[in-house]
Amino acid sequence: MFTLFICSTSFAQTITLKGFILDEESKDSIPYATVYIKGTIYGTETEFNGSFELEVPNNEDSLWVSTIGYVTKTVAIPHISSVQYLTIYISEDYSTPEIVIRPKENPAFRIMREVVAHKYINDKRNLSGYQYETYNRTSIFVNNISEKLREKKIMQQVAGVLDSIKNLKDSEGNPMIPVLMSETVTDYYYRTNPKATKEIIKGVKVEGIGMDDGSILSQILGSTFFEYNFYENYMNILDKDFISPISDSWNIFYEYRLVDSLYKDNLWCYKIDFKPKQPKDLAFQGSMYISDTTFALVHIEGNIFEEANLNYIDKITINQGLTQIEEGAWIPKTTNIYLDLEDIGSLPSMVATFYSNIQDPIVNKPKDANFFDQRIELLEDAQEKPATFWQEIYTDTTRKTDPLMYQMIDTLKNLPIVKSYVEILDVAINGYKKVGKFDIGPYLSLYSFNNIEGNRVQMGFRTNKDFSRKVILKGFVGYGSRDDRLKYGGAANFILSRKPWTQTGVYYKYDVDQIGAPAEKLSSNNLFLAFTRWGTLRGPYYSRQYGAFFERDLTKNFMPKVVFRHMTFDPLYNFAAYESEPTATFTPNTLQQFQTTELIVLMKFSYDEIFLQNGNERISLGAKKYPIAYFQYTAGLKGVLGSNYNYDKLQLTIDHSIRFGIFGRTNYQFVIGKIYKPVPYPLLENHIGNQTFFYTTAAFNLMNFFEYTSDQYASIKIKHDLDGLISNRIPVIRKLKWRFFLTGNVLMGSLSDANRNLLAPTTVNGGKTINVQSLDPTKPYIELGYGIDNIFKSARIDFIHRVTYRDVPNISKFGIKLSFRFII
């Protein structure tokens, strides 16, 4: 009996085996390989990143690894400790002679036709609505940490943490350092007619290096931005449109191979491999499992490799398992995403993983349309959930995260050397240096030199969320050595409500401005605005402004704003205008400076625009499919606060982005406007020119500053990205990953005689005033361009031709402009 007890105890002891299965030659991870003990029930499959975990009896000595196309390998099981880490390399099997069977038609084609034909049943978008709870986990790691790098000063402090996490490795077995861990629990809602989505983020845990607030990150890493549906023809990943392997145009872009018929998730399925016909196309490569009865997608692994003309990316893997609900449609049960950034020499690289799991789906009970007014909503207590909330979430073990990960990140971000580098990077990106409850900057405006102010120095500040979550204060002060004047300004904004978004504020500013490049129109392009402060200012004037505004979202589609402002125009050049239009018998008063008081009503219409709330700011990410329209009415109120003119302005602006599949994407902006009643030209539309070396979408880039003025106008600015349509088919360009694009800017405009007559020929001192130029109403201003994007993965060069008005003196008929942006 004693001997039997000892034997049974030894059999009861187990060893846990963890590790990766890799290709011996390429070192790539191998998903879905079988890892097992031969002749027993102990076995498992590798995950999408090649990892596995298997518990086996202590008395076993051999582990077997097998998968289609590779030689079956046997490895010895070490018995050093209760948990063993293995990295196993297997080689491709070239021994089996190739047997080629040539049917009249590729057998995968019949199945693919059925998949497309059954979309109307299997696609979840065909439900009237659905909702479910989703758990999302995102982890970001730093890898490619060489021994040489570990000797650097910054890594010496990190080395201790690195040594403590030797078991944390990437798909190739290299050590990784965690830098971000995010968990969110959300309720996700979808309505078909009218189409609408909503995400309520009810629980957030975020820890990351360089972060002091996880609110915006939790919104970006929620379900809205990882809702991948392969039934859609195109899937937007990292702002690129990848065509789905089960799209309506499947046979145009992909090659297919029927591999096998087998059980997957207890369903008999066809396994089909797919790959793009053109490796550089924005398409997937991988395998999918199709149900043999419903022809629904049961499981899919889609890989995107660096050949797909992506920047900074070595590989993206999307692994998704779907489950059928009662009404017949299939919804993703789990989604795993693995993103491996490109290694650049000996510099550190990054790996990101995303895991999503849904529970408790409810279908065909859509919420009312007004429920979807705010697409992403972060509950006030989402970042303050108690431990009991997370304990309940973790009862599903697939949702549980190792708490040591959070501790490691917290240790790293508090290292002095890491904190210093993070602060430098933050200033470089945002332009502000955070000092307690205040942000100091922006540093782009710290110094400039021009003909009016000479050497100009400026410093500003703004409060952050640590100061208040309802009040935002801003201010600046500047000084010019040549004009010996202080410039200054301040603003106070008050957030009255975050749902619906409601804000009011007041401001005051005294500064130098210039006609044709006003700061208020260029505020969204800080780099271009900073460069307009250099050199010779065109039409410079001192501007003293004060005003107030109020805005409130009435619905998710309609966002009005009302502004009341007063402005004094004090020119620094020869300017004179009549107070009203002169006649043959009457000459009105001549003004060398004037005042205006305006009431402005702005109305914004958008259908699928996405907003994020970042502290005290609301950030628009634009619309995915539909245009955004802006309507503005401005009323000049003569006599109010000394205003000299009475007028009305109307303007409509439409921004839109259109996808044309393999032919690329077009972005355009259409503007039309008219100014009623005569006013001096500083109050008209002075079209923005660009005499800098940099390209900007805010201007006509071969037009001089203050070259043309209009009181009625219409323009369209177009940029068409060809993506890889041409560049992917030119070997040298394909290797460099350059991308081609086309641009076109067209402007129609005119200036009435009434507005021309308002300009006095001389000042009261006899100085000659400038002559305002306008376009021929029958002849548009046209500039056409082409260019190369993605040079060194960041630079863009535009080659622009001025097609019309080429005989104007002192203009550029051809220009080369430079700009920079970091894109995937």
Side-chain angles (χ1 to χ4, degrees):
M1 289 178 63
F2 178 76
T3 304
L4 290 173
F5 174 77
I6 294 298
C7 292
S8 63
T9 302
S10 66
F11 276 106
Q13 294 175 344
T14 61
I15 294 178
T16 300
L17 303 177
K18 297 182 179 181
F20 293 90
I21 307 300
L22 308 177
D23 185 293
E24 190 170 50
E25 183 175 346
S26 67
K27 303 301 186 291
D28 289 337
S29 58
I30 300 177
Y32 312 122
T34 303
V35 182
Y36 61 100
I37 303 296
K38 191 173 183 179
T40 72
I41 61 171
Y42 301 101
T44 187
E45 270 190 342
T46 57
E47 299 291 339
F48 71 100
N49 62 348
S51 65
F52 71 91
E53 181 175 339
L54 178 63
E55 193 174 274
V56 302
N58 191 31
N59 61 333
E60 296 291 346
D61 59 2
S62 299
L63 185 70
W64 293 63
V65 180
S66 68
T67 189
I68 296 175
Y70 285 83
V71 177
T72 299
K73 186 170 186 176
T74 307
V75 296
I77 297 176
H79 293 266
I80 301 172
S81 61
S82 60
V83 180
Q84 295 295 319
Y85 294 90
L86 304 172
T87 300
I88 303 171
Y89 296 92
I90 60 177
S91 58
E92 291 192 55
D93 186 0
Y94 299 103
S95 61
T96 305
E98 182 179 14
I99 300 174
V100 180
I101 301 174
R102 302 186 187 277
K104 292 182 179 181
E105 183 190 45
N106 185 333
F109 286 4
R110 179 191 67 84
I111 301 169
M112 292 304 302
R113 284 195 294 268
E114 293 288 351
V115 171
V116 174
H118 285 76
K119 274 188 178 185
Y120 75 97
I121 298 175
N122 297 322
D123 187 353
K124 64 181 182 179
R125 293 176 298 167
N126 294 318
L127 299 167
S128 62
Y130 56 83
Q131 66 188 69
Y132 45 70
E133 181 190 79
T134 175
Y135 166 85
N136 305 307
R137 179 174 62 238
T138 301
S139 308
I140 299 179
F141 307 89
V142 171
N143 66 346
N144 193 32
I145 306 166
S146 64
E147 290 298 324
K148 184 177 180 180
L149 183 63
R150 289 176 61 127
E151 297 174 0
K152 299 288 185 180
K153 183 178 180 180
I154 184 173
M155 292 301 297
Q156 289 176 1
Q157 295 185 24
V158 179
V161 178
L162 184 62
D163 290 338
S164 68
I165 52 175
K166 288 182 178 179
N167 295 329
L168 189 59
K169 298 181 179 181
D170 62 17
S171 61
E172 297 182 3
N174 301 315
M176 302 190 300
I177 297 177
V179 295
L180 182 140
M181 177 66 68
S182 166
E183 294 177 272
T184 62
V185 181
T186 74
D187 288 331
Y188 186 83
Y189 302 84
Y190 177 89
R191 178 188 174 98
T192 301
N193 188 21
K195 181 181 177 182
T197 63
K198 183 180 181 71
E199 180 180 10
I200 300 177
I201 304 174
K202 57 186 183 181
V204 175
K205 284 176 69 175
V206 180
E207 189 74 64
I209 295 175
M211 290 176 49
D212 59 355
D213 177 23
S215 60
I216 189 169
L217 192 67
S218 63
Q219 297 168 72
I220 295 174
L221 298 178
S223 299
T224 298
F225 298 95
F226 291 93
E227 253 285 300
Y228 293 136
N229 183 1
F230 282 90
Y231 281 103
E232 296 184 26
N233 289 330
Y234 287 89
M235 298 167 59
N236 190 274
I237 302 172
L238 300 176
D239 206 28
K240 297 287 183 183
D241 297 318
F242 289 82
I243 190 163
S244 169
I246 58 173
S247 71
D248 295 340
S249 305
W250 57 272
N251 56 340
I252 297 176
F253 298 96
Y254 284 97
E255 294 178 359
Y256 298 87
R257 183 168 68 96
L258 179 59
V259 177
D260 203 352
S261 297
L262 70 167
Y263 277 104
K264 184 67 176 177
D265 299 334
N266 298 320
L267 294 171
W268 189 254
C269 297
Y270 302 109
K271 182 181 180 182
I272 298 176
D273 288 350
F274 53 88
K275 66 179 181 179
K277 290 183 177 180
Q278 295 287 340
K280 289 288 183 179
D281 284 346
L282 297 180
F284 298 92
Q285 178 177 334
S287 302
M288 57 185 166
Y289 295 83
I290 305 296
S291 168
D292 74 325
T293 54
T294 63
F295 294 97
L297 183 65
V298 175
H299 197 104
I300 186 168
E301 179 192 333
N303 298 290
I304 302 169
F305 298 99
E306 60 178 341
E307 289 83 1
N309 200 351
L310 295 176
N311 288 334
Y312 317 110
I313 303 293
D314 265 348
K315 182 180 179 182
I316 302 174
T317 297
I318 301 179
N319 191 293
Q320 191 174 81
L322 296 91
T323 185
Q324 188 177 27
I325 53 180
E326 293 179 0
E327 276 67 16
W330 292 67
I331 59 174
K333 179 68 174 177
T334 59
T335 301
N336 283 282
I337 301 174
Y338 178 84
L339 188 151
D340 190 359
L341 294 188
E342 178 183 26
D343 294 341
I344 304 175
S346 59
L347 296 176
S349 184
M350 299 186 81
V351 169
T353 64
F354 175 85
Y355 170 76
S356 177
N357 167 273
I358 73 164
Q359 289 183 358
D360 305 323
I362 300 174
V363 300
N364 290 334
K365 295 181 180 179
K367 298 287 187 180
D368 294 336
N370 57 8
F371 174 79
F372 297 89
D373 280 355
Q374 186 175 336
R375 290 191 64 182
I376 302 176
E377 181 181 347
L378 179 66
L379 297 184
E380 290 288 338
D381 64 341
Q383 296 176 270
E384 302 169 357
K385 291 295 184 182
T388 53
F389 173 86
W390 293 103
Q391 288 171 3
E392 184 177 349
I393 296 298
Y394 294 153
T395 54
D396 181 345
T397 57
T398 63
R399 295 180 165 195
K400 191 169 184 178
T401 301
D402 188 350
L404 288 176
M405 298 287 287
Y406 287 103
Q407 297 177 20
M408 294 173 190
I409 296 171
D410 185 65
T411 301
L412 282 169
K413 75 176 187 179
N414 286 301
L415 294 175
I417 191 71
V418 174
K419 293 175 69 175
S420 298
Y421 274 84
V422 167
E423 289 179 1
I424 293 171
L425 186 62
D426 182 58
V427 171
I429 294 174
N430 297 315
Y432 285 84
K433 172 71 170 70
K434 183 178 180 182
V435 181
K437 300 178 180 180
F438 297 87
D439 299 336
I440 307 300
Y443 289 99
L444 281 174
S445 302
L446 184 64
Y447 174 79
S448 60
F449 180 85
N450 57 67
N451 62 315
I452 301 298
E453 300 174 287
N455 297 288
R456 172 178 171 137
V457 292
Q458 176 180 311
M459 184 56 70
F461 79 94
R462 66 187 183 191
T463 60
N464 53 49
K465 66 177 183 60
D466 294 335
F467 177 85
S468 171
R469 289 185 59 84
K470 293 184 177 295
V471 180
I472 307 106
L473 304 178
K474 302 177 184 178
F476 79 92
V477 60
Y479 174 76
S481 61
R482 180 171 295 175
D483 65 351
D484 193 27
R485 289 200 187 190
L486 279 176
K487 292 85 180 177
Y488 46 87
N493 294 350
F494 305 91
I495 300 174
L496 305 180
S497 171
R498 282 179 159 80
K499 182 187 177 184
W501 181 260
T502 308
Q503 188 177 205
T504 188
V506 295
Y507 73 95
Y508 181 92
K509 184 181 79 167
Y510 176 70
D511 205 350
V512 171
D513 219 329
Q514 56 183 324
I515 296 174
E520 61 188 56
K521 286 191 175 183
L522 302 177
S523 58
S524 61
N525 193 327
N526 292 326
L527 181 62
F528 182 65
L529 176 61
F531 272 94
T532 62
R533 298 286 189 181
W534 289 76
T536 302
L537 302 186
R538 282 80 174 176
Y541 61 93
Y542 288 118
S543 171
R544 190 180 301 275
Q545 293 186 39
Y546 57 86
F549 75 91
F550 177 83
E551 63 178 336
R552 179 182 177 88
D553 292 356
L554 295 184
T555 70
K556 70 170 185 176
N557 307 122
F558 180 43
M559 292 152 273
K561 180 178 181 179
V562 179
V563 181
F564 179 85
R565 70 181 181 188
H566 180 82
M567 188 267 287
T568 299
F569 179 83
D570 185 7
L572 295 169
Y573 63 99
N574 288 340
F575 168 84
Y578 296 120
E579 194 168 18
S580 60
E581 187 178 5
T583 65
T585 59
F586 173 72
T587 302
N589 293 332
T590 301
L591 304 176
Q592 294 209 227
Q593 59 176 240
F594 61 83
Q595 300 181 69
T596 64
T597 301
E598 295 179 330
L599 179 65
I600 305 171
V601 178
L602 301 101
M603 291 178 283
K604 181 179 180 182
F605 302 88
S606 64
Y607 183 73
D608 60 345
E609 188 175 11
I610 298 177
F611 290 97
L612 301 180
Q613 291 190 11
N614 180 24
N616 294 334
E617 295 181 305
R618 188 171 72 157
I619 302 171
S620 172
L621 299 184
K624 294 180 65 176
K625 184 177 180 180
Y626 296 96
I628 300 176
Y630 307 84
F631 176 78
Q632 178 174 330
Y633 168 70
T634 303
L637 307 176
K638 185 176 181 178
V640 178
L641 301 176
S643 175
N644 297 106
Y645 294 100
N646 184 38
Y647 52 88
D648 300 284
K649 298 181 181 180
L650 294 175
Q651 180 170 294
L652 173 67
T653 303
I654 297 176
D655 288 320
H656 194 197
S657 179
I658 308 174
R659 180 178 58 210
F660 291 99
I662 62 171
F663 298 102
R665 180 181 285 272
T666 294
N667 296 280
Y668 73 85
Q669 182 185 75
F670 173 75
V671 180
I672 186 170
K674 184 175 176 62
I675 300 166
Y676 299 87
K677 300 177 184 178
V679 290
Y681 64 81
L683 297 176
L684 298 175
E685 183 67 17
N686 298 283
H687 304 292
I688 300 175
N690 180 12
Q691 292 178 257
T692 73
F693 296 108
F694 297 97
Y695 182 89
T696 176
T697 57
F700 295 91
N701 285 276
L702 287 186
M703 186 184 289
N704 289 344
F705 290 123
F706 191 29
E707 184 176 346
Y708 294 112
T709 300
S710 302
D711 56 25
Q712 56 182 356
Y713 52 91
S715 69
I716 186 166
K717 298 176 181 178
I718 300 176
K719 177 174 181 276
H720 180 73
D721 290 298
L722 294 166
D723 289 335
L725 181 64
I726 298 176
S727 57
N728 284 353
R729 287 149 181 84
I730 304 174
V732 176
I733 302 300
R734 182 173 65 231
K735 186 174 182 179
L736 293 171
K737 292 189 177 182
W738 289 358
R739 302 164 188 172
F740 299 144
F741 60 87
L742 305 171
T743 60
N745 295 334
V746 180
L747 170 67
M748 295 288 292
S750 64
L751 186 62
S752 67
D753 291 338
N755 277 310
R756 293 181 189 276
N757 295 336
L758 210 62
L759 177 62
T762 60
T763 67
V764 293
N765 298 323
K768 186 177 180 181
T769 60
I770 65 173
N771 185 26
V772 177
Q773 302 295 324
S774 63
L775 294 168
D776 182 341
T778 63
K779 181 182 178 181
Y781 171 89
I782 302 173
E783 57 185 33
L784 301 177
Y786 46 89
I788 303 172
D789 206 349
N790 208 42
I791 302 172
F792 302 117
K793 301 182 181 180
S794 60
R796 162 180 163 172
I797 296 179
D798 282 76
F799 303 91
I800 311 169
H801 297 267
R802 182 162 168 159
V803 179
T804 57
Y805 297 93
R806 293 169 58 87
D807 55 352
V808 178
N810 302 318
I811 56 95
S812 298
K813 299 178 183 178
F814 173 76
I816 300 176
K817 302 281 186 176
L818 178 67
S819 58
F820 297 91
R821 61 174 183 162
F822 292 95
I823 55 175
I824 300 297

